Structure formats: C-alpha cells, structure tokens
Amino acid sequence: MSSKENKSYYVTTPIYYVNGLPHVGNTYTTTVADTLARFHKFCGYDSFFLTGTDEHGDKIQQAAEAAGKPVMDFVTEIANTFKDTWVEFGFEFSRFIRTTDKEHKATVNHILNKIHDKGDIYFGEYGGNYCFGCERFLTDKELVDGKCPDHQKPTTFIKEKNYFFRMSKYQAQLLEHIEKNPDFIRPERYRNEIIAMLKGPLEDLCISRPKSRLQWGIELPFDKDYVTYVWFDALINYLSGIGYPDENNFKKYWSSCEHLIAKDILKPHGVFWSTMLMAAEIPLYKHLNVHGYWVTPTGKMSKSLGNVIDPKAIRAIKTQYGMDVFRYFVLREMVYGLDGTFNYDTLETRYNADLANNLGNLVSRSLAMVEKYRSALTPKAVKYSEQDVALKDSALATLAAVKTDVHNMELHRALEKIWQLIDAANVYIDRTKPWTLAKEEKTNADKTEELNTVLYCQLEVIRFVASLISPFMPESARKILLALGYNEAQLADLLKAEQLASWGMLPTGQKTTKQESLFPRIDVASADTKQAKEGSKMEEVKTQADVIANDEFAKVDLRIAQILAAEKVEKSEKLIKLQVTLGELGERQIVAGIGKRYQAEELVGRKIVVVANLKPAKLMGLESQGMLLAADDGQGLLELVGIDPLMPAGSKVR
Ligand code: MSP
C-alpha cells in the first residue's frame, strides 16, 4: 500500500433518532467527530466524516402518529432540523445519511441477503421482554425490578415468529478479536463490559418485525411480510454512508473507521454490529470510542426536568461567545469515557481563565507590542538567547504530544498541552520584558536586535498555537492567523501540521493587525450571560447575602505581581519593603506588614495579588504604591494570597 492510501481517515457519529432534536449530548458527539475529522485533515489525511439520522422503527412511527403527520413528512422535517443545525454550528460533515435514503436501503438488502444466503439468518419463534424505548428484547439479567433500567418502564412480553441472526455463532471469534486488540473498544471500562457480555451466554438476535405489528421499516428481501429490525438497519449506515457495496470509498476508508458513541448504545455496537460484520465477512472497524453522558449540576438532563441544553442554549452561547467557546468548553471539560457536568459557571470560569486571560491576552498584548514598537510589521529574529530557544523547543514538541493525545482519544489532554504552550509563551513575555527592551533600545543599539527576536518569537509561537487549535477552534485559529498578516488564500496551506515541523516560517515584514476582542472578558453577572443561562432553561439558584453591586467591585483593580526584591524595613518589626513588577503596568514599591510571618529573602520571585489602583500611602516614611492581599485569621495566622506561578504578572484578578 502506498503511503497516500494509508492516509485515509473515517469517523462516524451515531445516527440520531428523529423522535428527538439536537441537544448538548448529540451536539457533543458531533463536535468530537468534527474535531477528529479536522485534526486528521490537518495532519494530511483524507478524512471522511459521517453523521445522519435513524428514521425507522416503532418509536418513530409512534412519534409521527402523535404529531398527526404522515411518517415520511415527519422524519424529513426532523432530519432537516438536524442537518441545518449541524451546518449552523459549523460542522463539516462529508455526508449526512438518512436511513430512508434509497442507497441505504439497497445496502441493507445486500447485507441481509449475504448473511441469509450463508445460512446465518433463520426463521423461528421467540418470546421475550421487549423494551420499546431500546427497541430490543432485554435479557432477564438486564432487567431491574422488571423494568428497563434505561427507560424506567416495564417491558412488554412479546411472542412471535421472526427471523433471527445467528449472533452466538460469532461470540468466540469476537471475544478473541477484542482480546487481541486491546484498543478496539475504548476506554477500557467499556471494553471490559463487552468482554463480560461475551463471556456469558449470548442469544441470537431477532432481526425482523412482522408487518402486522410494524410497517415503518425496510422490507426483508426474502420475506415481504416482515420489515428489518431498526438496529440491524441503522448500524449498516456506517457502510452505506461510504457507498458500500461499491468498493471505492470502502477500500479507501473502512480500515481506519472510528465509531463515536455514548455508553447508552454500547451493546448494539460492541456486540450486534461487530458480529454482523463478521457474518457478512467484512473486516471489523478500527475503534469503538465510547463516551459518557453530559449531565447538569442538578443531575440527569431530561425534558420533564426542563433542563435540557438544547440548540436554543447552544445558540445563545454561540451568539454571545462564539461556537469555538462551546467547542473548547465541551472538549476541554469532558474526559472521554466519563460523565461530564455542563455547568455555566465552569464555562465562564474557563472562558475567563483560559480564553480571555491566557490565549486572548497572549495574542492581544503581542500584537499591541508589535504595533507599538515595530509599526505592526513582523520583525526579523537575529540571535536567539537561551529563553528564545526554550520557547521554540516547547512549540516544536507540542505537536507530537497533541497527536498522541488525539490518537488516544484524550482530547482534553491535547488541549491541556496546547495551553501549556500558551502559558510558556506568556511567561516568556514576562521574563524577556519587551517593554523594558523598548526603552533600552533608545540608548543601546544592541537591544534592538534583542527586541526584534523577542517579538518575532512571540508571534511565531502564536502561529504555532493558532495552527494547533485549528481543529478544535477553527474560527479563532482563522482570526489569529489573519491578524498575524496572512490572507484568506494562504490559510488552507498554512493550517497543516507539516507547517509546524520547523520554526521560523512566519515571514518578516508581514503587516499585523491589533486583536483586542478575540475573547473579551465575561462579566460573570452581566445581563448577557444571564440570557445564555436562561436560554438553556437551566435552573439558577442565587442566594442573596450582603451584596455590593458588580460595578462597585469592578472599581478595584486587582493584579498579579511578581516580587523582584524584598528587604526588611529598618526599625520595624512587621514591615517589609517590596519591589514588584505588574507586567505592562511597570514596577512598584509596596510596603507590607508581613515581616513577622515571612523572611524577606523567601519572598523574591513569588507571585502575589495586589490592589493596583489604591491611593499611595506612606508607612514609616516609605511610599507604598499598592496593597498586597493576604489571609489573616485575626489571631496571628497570616498567609499571602497565592496564585499559579504560570500566571503572568500584570494579569487582572476578578
Ligand atoms: N439511533 C440510535 C443510534 C443508532 S447508530 C447506528 C440512537 N439515537 S439517539 O438519538 O438516541 O442518540 C444517542 C447518542 O446521542 C448517544 O450515543 C450519544 O452520542 C448522544 N447523546 C445523547 N444524549 C447524550 C448525553 N446526555 N450525553 C452525551 N451524549 C449523548 O441511539
């Protein structure tokens, strides 16, 4: 196989039932698929991303009846809503498949005939406990107090003649495949669940429904009195979506296929689908990636609780902050495989800390400095200091780390790694102090080269960051690269992993544009934010204590400061004189009463929080141009308010 053929990638979402609508759960799975497809494109793969709708079966027929609409009209309306919503949210799927598509029906017939012809489908009678929610017979072991544990409803005993797929015939073969391929089903907990199912008795699968009971399905090619069981029909979308039995795309993509699902549909995928493929003599897909559920802070999301985070809420987030913020939040917050809590407070905290303060601040201050010191033209790096090389090395190492995390389905970690690079870039700026170099170069020509190099490194690391985030946050990546002076036509070539193999690709003399509002800070209590919260119908319980108005608190300018020097004030027991830097706000002297608790020497280098806009005061004849924050229990216990050392000096604390 040539290396070009090897570089194909295929990712799927479940096809969503058309008796429901988009919400945060299915939007999440689709976001992950979109990110993976983009990431693989970015890495030079030919990516195919399939999503769509599951439109047959009892549930759908009943929903259409309840809506008083002809079934086909009903399913088309909802399928269009899904498709339009995904387009509106910016998902770049390659195909939107519907199980009512003609080609899909043809593929289902093809597979049914193949398995039937080889004798793996037989006619028989079966009586069992049927869950209409799951649309399948549940085993006695699966019932909890006689009810389906997922739908919390009693099952119905149904006995009828039907067609059965000899699933049990493939039990041992599937177990062997899973044992030989440890990451076939991941994460491990779900692999273990499937192994446990395969180690117990496995019944054959009923794959038909008599038309006397259900008409809304794909007719069996070998018996016109029956329709195909909805799961048997739906799972085949993963093949019909790439044109199977036509070999073209199948050959290209199938061996790389990654299915994304949540834990609710583990058994149909892990067991039904895998054995169906074995019976049809089609090689198995590459990975089944199983994620947990999104829940709200008050528990499970459900329509009856009125806390479903639906497109209205997602749209409110998109309008207020941009779709990238939703993407960043869900991808950073959920550990793939575990449940995640969708909490607006966490979203806002992450937004302010990671996006506004960190990434936004890096971009805005770097571009502002280039404009101020170099007339908005990218300078030429001349000679690299140790710090410059360290930054370059971190940038070059990040891509490999991010690739590993994405391949292991640890997207939250991939983002963590990118944010470590952003942290390193912010620390680099604080250490190299371009604002000081700018002052010094007026009298010392050597400093001009140094400042050029520092500014270049800042911009070049921003190019790395923009490229690395592009699969996760495509709009922001675009905005940043345009601000760095690239034009639209250059973006497609630029957004490629291979562009990150070497440092120094950012051209010199490129015209940059200031970017102040990439991620404007959120005022957590503002009306706009509330609007997003209300859009979600999330219950918001606020306690009223002694309160001050938001604008009163906003008057206090709290900043991170780094202590540069500290010395005890002579003749004073308590006072220490500190020299601190507030980043771009410059240096200050602060006199603080912390001498009983701290030695002057141990304070140098620490990051603290200070009130930066306090009227200067005199203490023992020394001017104090600010006040530091410390916790005081009133009985002698005193502790400086600390902060992560990675936070750059000058950052606002809110
Ligand atoms: N139609 C079947 C799938 C057939 S695939 C061959 C189905 N549809 S569904 O509409 O119920 O979608 C289930 C999927 O939606 C989950 O597996 C998951 O991808 C997504 N989610 C639905 N609710 C979710 C959460 N609360 N949290 C996370 N994902 C959720 O099952």
Side-chain angles (χ1 to χ4, degrees):
M1 212 186 265
S2 78
S3 66
K4 196 162 190 297
E5 273 168 320
N6 264 334
K7 289 209 107 181
S8 294
Y9 177 74
Y10 181 30
V11 64
T12 70
T13 71
I15 46 172
Y16 305 114
Y17 284 130
V18 288
N19 65 342
L21 285 167
H23 53 70
V24 77
N26 43 40
T27 306
Y28 170 71
T29 319
T30 316
T31 305
V32 174
D34 185 69
T35 305
L36 291 173
R38 287 176 189 263
F39 189 83
H40 283 82
K41 264 187 209 156
F42 171 72
C43 292
Y45 286 73
D46 174 353
S47 289
F48 195 99
F49 159 21
L50 182 72
T51 189
T53 40
D54 187 354
E55 305 184 7
H56 291 126
D58 280 317
K59 272 201 284 202
I60 310 298
Q61 186 172 305
Q62 283 164 20
E65 276 161 18
K69 293 187 179 161
V71 195
M72 196 58 207
D73 292 357
F74 175 80
V75 296
T76 302
E77 201 177 294
I78 299 188
N80 286 340
T81 304
F82 268 101
K83 193 172 176 184
D84 295 346
T85 308
W86 295 162
V87 171
E88 179 193 340
F89 289 171
F91 300 141
E92 291 186 343
F93 46 86
S94 315
R95 176 164 181 194
F96 188 94
I97 187 156
R98 300 180 53 188
T99 52
T100 48
D101 288 345
K102 208 165 79 238
E103 314 89 75
H104 171 73
K105 290 183 184 170
T107 310
V108 172
N109 277 330
H110 174 89
I111 293 195
L112 278 168
N113 279 330
K114 192 162 176 187
I115 303 180
H116 187 244
D117 289 350
K118 87 186 256 212
D120 280 347
I121 289 177
Y122 63 90
F123 195 57
E125 190 169 40
Y126 181 80
N129 299 307
Y130 193 77
C131 169
F132 283 92
C134 297
E135 302 230 32
R136 66 182 180 90
F137 289 100
L138 301 188
T139 61
D140 290 344
K141 237 174 121 186
E142 285 177 298
L143 299 181
V144 177
D145 300 329
K147 289 183 186 164
C148 162
D150 284 346
H151 294 93
Q152 291 292 318
K153 282 193 185 142
T155 49
T156 310
F157 187 82
I158 292 183
K159 188 172 183 180
E160 62 193 12
K161 286 199 168 158
N162 264 313
Y163 285 87
F164 290 85
F165 161 51
R166 282 187 211 287
M167 194 155 75
S168 54
K169 182 174 158 190
Y170 298 95
Q171 183 171 1
Q173 196 182 326
L174 177 57
L175 188 57
E176 194 188 330
H177 181 84
I178 296 174
E179 281 176 343
K180 275 198 187 141
N181 297 278
D183 59 0
F184 175 61
I185 298 173
R186 55 188 188 175
E188 203 181 354
R189 51 194 303 189
Y190 300 110
R191 172 179 187 257
N192 293 341
E193 269 189 46
I194 294 289
I195 291 180
M197 283 179 211
L198 293 172
K199 285 194 168 159
L202 187 68
E203 291 178 356
D204 287 344
L205 182 67
C206 175
I207 56 136
S208 65
R209 298 290 179 264
K211 278 196 185 164
S212 55
R213 178 155 76 81
L214 174 76
Q215 298 78 42
W216 186 241
I218 300 177
E219 189 181 286
L220 288 184
F222 40 81
D223 191 335
K224 60 178 177 19
D225 291 332
Y226 285 85
V227 294
T228 312
Y229 166 47
V230 62
W231 268 106
F232 198 95
D233 153 3
L235 289 160
I236 292 173
N237 92 86
Y238 300 133
L239 287 170
S240 53
I242 46 167
Y244 185 86
D246 182 280
E247 295 264 295
N248 251 341
N249 276 345
F250 174 75
K251 270 199 180 144
K252 191 161 162 198
Y253 295 114
W254 183 249
S255 62
S256 66
C257 174
E258 303 225 43
H259 294 313
L260 307 181
I261 59 166
K263 58 188 178 182
D264 52 340
I265 50 178
L266 174 62
K267 185 174 181 181
H269 283 80
V271 181
F272 303 176
W273 180 225
S274 310
T275 51
M276 281 165 65
L277 286 165
M278 286 176 159
E281 293 165 17
I282 297 171
L284 290 176
Y285 49 88
K286 191 167 180 195
H287 296 299
L288 178 62
N289 301 302
V290 190
H291 64 77
Y293 284 141
W294 280 104
V295 297
T296 69
T298 43
K300 223 183 149 178
M301 257 185 280
S302 88
K303 271 192 203 151
S304 54
L305 291 174
N307 63 357
V308 178
I309 298 173
D310 57 17
K312 194 171 155 205
I314 300 170
R315 220 166 264 138
I317 295 172
K318 179 174 181 277
T319 312
Q320 193 181 344
Y321 312 124
M323 195 61 192
D324 278 2
V325 173
F326 174 85
R327 292 173 72 108
Y328 177 76
F329 176 72
V330 291
L331 296 172
R332 177 69 186 76
E333 192 65 19
M334 184 175 257
V335 176
Y336 201 92
L338 303 179
D339 288 353
T341 305
F342 199 97
N343 182 340
Y344 283 91
D345 292 337
T346 323
L347 185 145
E348 285 165 353
T349 308
R350 277 212 179 281
Y351 176 95
N352 275 342
D354 301 354
L355 301 180
N357 276 1
N358 225 350
L359 174 57
N361 189 35
L362 171 68
V363 174
S364 68
R365 66 179 175 150
S366 301
L367 291 168
M369 286 187 237
V370 177
E371 181 173 291
K372 189 164 165 198
Y373 308 137
R374 292 295 180 263
S375 315
L377 291 173
T378 53
K380 187 168 162 61
V382 187
K383 53 172 197 232
Y384 280 74
S385 70
E386 239 174 66
Q387 297 187 79
D388 309 329
V389 173
L391 182 68
K392 166 183 155 184
D393 290 347
S394 315
L396 286 167
T398 307
L399 176 63
V402 168
K403 273 189 185 169
T404 307
D405 291 334
V406 173
H407 291 144
N408 292 336
M409 278 307 293
E410 293 185 309
L411 302 186
H412 69 290
R413 274 195 210 283
L415 286 171
E416 235 170 57
K417 303 272 164 64
I418 302 173
W419 257 257
Q420 277 165 10
L421 178 61
I422 298 172
D423 284 339
N426 274 319
V427 168
Y428 168 85
I429 297 176
D430 293 338
R431 294 215 175 114
T432 52
K433 299 190 182 68
W435 48 90
T436 309
L437 294 173
K439 273 186 210 148
E440 290 171 348
E441 73 172 340
K442 290 185 183 137
T443 52
N444 179 353
D446 282 355
K447 298 288 172 186
T448 298
E449 279 193 350
E450 204 175 322
L451 179 58
N452 280 341
T453 309
V454 165
L455 292 174
Y456 184 84
C457 289
Q458 280 175 241
L459 298 179
E460 180 63 343
V461 82
I462 290 174
R463 178 181 74 88
F464 267 72
V465 167
S467 289
L468 288 165
I469 63 167
S470 65
F472 304 86
M473 306 174 73
E475 285 170 26
S476 313
R478 251 189 85 249
K479 277 193 202 157
I480 296 173
L481 291 171
L482 292 176
L484 282 183
Y486 292 102
N487 60 45
E488 288 281 357
Q490 291 170 304
L491 293 189
D493 281 340
L494 197 64
L495 286 169
K496 283 189 178 145
E498 66 201 36
Q499 296 288 331
L500 303 185
S502 37
W503 176 270
M505 308 276 277
L506 175 74
T508 5
Q510 192 155 283
K511 184 87 183 159
T512 62
T513 328
K514 260 214 270 193
Q515 266 291 328
E516 269 147 13
S517 56
L518 193 56
F519 299 109
R521 281 190 60 86
I522 306 175
D523 177 352
V524 178
S526 80
D528 281 354
T529 314
K530 283 213 185 90
Q531 188 197 336
K533 289 180 180 174
E534 277 155 17
S536 75
K537 305 186 201 107
M538 291 265 292
E539 212 181 309
E540 232 197 315
V541 187
K542 288 253 184 249
T543 46
Q544 290 294 321
D546 275 354
V547 289
I548 56 165
N550 189 53
D551 54 354
E552 285 175 85
F553 176 68
K555 284 185 197 153
V556 185
D557 187 13
L558 293 173
R559 299 277 178 154
I560 308 244
Q562 183 162 27
I563 302 177
L564 302 171
E567 75 185 70
K568 217 159 178 307
V569 174
E570 260 181 58
K571 295 193 197 122
S572 165
E573 261 196 4
K574 289 204 314 193
L575 293 183
I576 292 191
K577 186 175 83 176
L578 303 166
Q579 209 57 41
V580 302
T581 171
L582 296 178
E584 278 178 84
L585 295 188
E587 293 184 10
R588 303 268 179 99
Q589 171 171 292
I590 292 180
V591 183
I594 53 173
K596 280 192 172 167
R597 163 69 180 82
Y598 293 97
Q599 297 295 319
E601 308 79 67
E602 67 178 301
L603 291 168
V604 178
R606 277 181 79 140
K607 293 255 172 88
I608 54 171
V609 180
V610 302
V611 181
N613 60 344
L614 206 64
K615 208 166 144 194
K618 283 221 162 143
L619 293 156
M620 292 191 71
L622 295 167
E623 183 167 276
S624 183
Q625 301 150 333
M627 183 173 84
L628 55 73
L629 297 193
D632 184 353
D633 77 342
Q635 329 225 343
L637 248 187
L638 186 94
E639 202 61 42
L640 282 172
V641 171
I643 198 87
D644 189 319
L646 284 173
M647 283 306 292
S651 304
K652 282 193 172 248
V653 179
R654 297 186 192 221

